[in-house]
Amino acid sequence: MKKLLMTLAVASLLISCNKEDSTSVNESSNQTASLAGHRGCYSHEHLEEQLKADPTLAQRMNDIEVHTAKTAAAIETGRIVNGVLEIPVVVNVLYRTTAENISQAQIQSQIDVLNKDFNAQNSDYNTANNPYSSVRANVGIRFVLDAVYRKSTTKTSWGTNDAMKKSTQGGLNPTSPTTKLNLWVCTIGGGILGYAQFPGGSSATDGVVIDSKYFGTTGTATYPFNLGRTATHEVGHWMNLRHIWGDATCGSDLVSDTPVHNAANYGVPAVGHRSTCTGTPLEMYMNYMDYTDDRGMYMFSNGQKSRMLAIFQVGGSRASFR
Ligand code: ARG
Ligand code: ZN
Ligand code: CA
């Protein structure tokens, strides 16, 4: 494979530079061409000299070709449009009741919320007196509904052991989980709104589960979790974000521009609510990675954005989505 790529690399270099003067394949003919008033390009001859003089150069150039091939392929297949990564979304609906068999409109309403929340287009993005407005992020990831699969089942609730992701357990296997975000919509039970698999897990169970009563903004979506923010929060986890309180008293979320919280916030905290941790910082309770009601959360931070985008870079754990 390496040898083939190197051959391709050298072949493409050979044809790359001499469009203006295809006869200038060696020094003397190039000189002749220049003398005859043609434009010449010496880059390829220069490269050949450097390749002879430096035996390590070929390997470095090969590495560049490997990177270019991966990145260029993503751009050509249209998954990076104007710098914005597009993620195909597969929605797997598992239902027993007709209410659980949510409508296409409810599904689309959730896709719309994800697109607003991840592109600073949510109507509450500019909420007045946000003390953290200077670190608000436009994450720049778009979600495209790719397919909806529906399956009638006899289960009243699915729990959190991934049964909904396995056809052998009555669920639906994920579709192309290394290139598509799979969402499972079903009744979870136990007061759980949703849960996600972090990067690094098995692709057979990769994706996000959302209870159908907290999915989207219409149909069966139920207050105070009827603004589609459960999926925003869970997709944040799927993109490697931790809870803002670091899942411990005054814990760390591994993001430097979010303040330390002593614990999760619920409902809609009072403006100016402070942490009891060192320095008593103002809490960023309006962050999607807190536990407030849907109407109380409306931003990711720039540090969270960097953390999310990192996994999609070449070499990142979700680079296959590029
Ligand atoms: N995993 C969290 C839970 O099940 C989701 C919290 C989402 N918060 C929200 N406002 N929608 O409780
Ligand atoms: Zn969470
Ligand atoms: Ca932090």
Side-chain angles (χ1 to χ4, degrees):
M1 185 59 182
K2 274 241 162 94
K3 275 221 174 95
L4 170 69
L5 281 167
M6 191 57 218
T7 311
L8 284 170
V10 170
S12 67
L13 283 164
L14 279 168
I15 57 169
S16 65
C17 199
N18 286 329
K19 285 210 178 85
E20 296 287 346
D21 183 2
S22 58
T23 62
S24 60
V25 291
N26 61 49
E27 219 180 316
S28 57
S29 69
N30 190 41
Q31 247 168 17
T32 312
S34 301
L35 287 171
H38 291 266
R39 292 203 298 178
C41 173
Y42 192 73
S43 299
H44 187 69
E45 292 80 354
H46 185 65
L47 171 62
E48 284 184 329
E49 286 164 7
Q50 287 192 326
L51 282 166
K52 266 185 219 143
D54 179 358
T56 67
L57 177 58
Q59 182 58 52
R60 286 200 301 281
M61 292 188 72
N62 190 44
D63 292 346
I64 291 166
E65 280 318 307
V66 170
H67 172 269
T68 302
K70 285 186 200 166
T71 320
I75 291 164
E76 278 163 25
T77 53
R79 282 180 291 167
I80 297 175
V81 179
N82 297 327
V84 174
L85 176 64
E86 288 192 352
I87 298 187
V89 179
V90 174
V91 178
N92 302 283
V93 180
L94 296 159
Y95 64 95
R96 186 180 61 86
T97 67
T98 52
E100 287 169 333
N101 191 18
I102 61 168
S103 67
Q104 188 72 20
Q106 188 170 350
I107 293 168
Q108 188 58 52
S109 75
Q110 182 61 73
I111 301 293
D112 294 345
V113 169
L114 289 171
N115 281 320
K116 286 177 182 162
D117 289 355
F118 280 81
N119 293 280
Q121 288 166 354
N122 46 303
S123 60
D124 45 2
Y125 183 73
N126 293 310
T127 298
N129 304 317
N130 174 4
Y132 287 108
S133 58
S134 66
V135 298
R136 284 175 304 183
N138 176 351
V139 177
I141 294 179
R142 296 209 67 85
F143 300 85
V144 182
L145 184 59
D146 184 74
V148 179
Y149 299 108
R150 299 173 184 272
K151 187 172 179 179
S152 168
T153 80
T154 56
K155 269 196 200 293
T156 52
S157 64
W158 288 84
T160 53
N161 68 355
D162 288 345
M164 71 289 286
K165 305 174 182 176
K166 298 166 183 169
S167 61
T168 54
Q169 295 182 38
L172 283 163
N173 292 338
T175 299
S176 308
T178 61
T179 55
K180 297 173 185 195
L181 166 58
N182 276 254
L183 304 182
W184 286 267
V185 182
C186 59
T187 295
I188 300 174
I192 306 291
L193 309 177
Y195 72 97
Q197 181 169 299
F198 281 87
S202 162
S203 62
T205 50
D206 198 37
V208 165
V209 184
I210 315 272
D211 192 290
S212 56
K213 291 183 297 303
Y214 312 114
F215 191 79
T217 60
T218 186
T220 62
T222 306
Y223 181 90
F225 305 111
N226 60 336
L227 299 179
R229 259 76 195 250
T230 299
T232 301
H233 174 108
E234 301 306 338
V235 172
H237 284 314
W238 184 78
M239 295 183 185
N240 212 24
L241 295 189
R242 304 294 181 91
H243 287 136
I244 196 154
W245 67 98
D247 295 291
T249 306
C250 304
S252 171
D253 63 353
L254 310 176
V255 171
S256 56
D257 65 2
T258 54
V260 182
H261 287 209
N262 40 296
N265 288 297
Y266 295 91
V268 180
V271 173
H273 170 69
R274 284 184 181 273
S275 161
T276 57
C277 309
T278 305
T280 65
L282 278 170
E283 292 203 349
M284 196 189 281
Y285 49 79
M286 66 295 290
N287 192 279
Y288 294 124
M289 300 317 290
D290 205 336
Y291 262 3
T292 66
D293 289 348
D294 279 10
R295 69 187 185 286
M297 46 174 63
Y298 47 83
M299 64 172 280
F300 288 115
S301 77
N302 283 319
Q304 289 175 319
K305 169 182 177 173
S306 301
R307 212 176 139 74
M308 288 190 270
L309 295 186
I311 61 164
F312 295 107
Q313 299 303 308
V314 172
S317 58
R318 297 199 189 282
S320 54
F321 282 82
R322 295 172 64 87

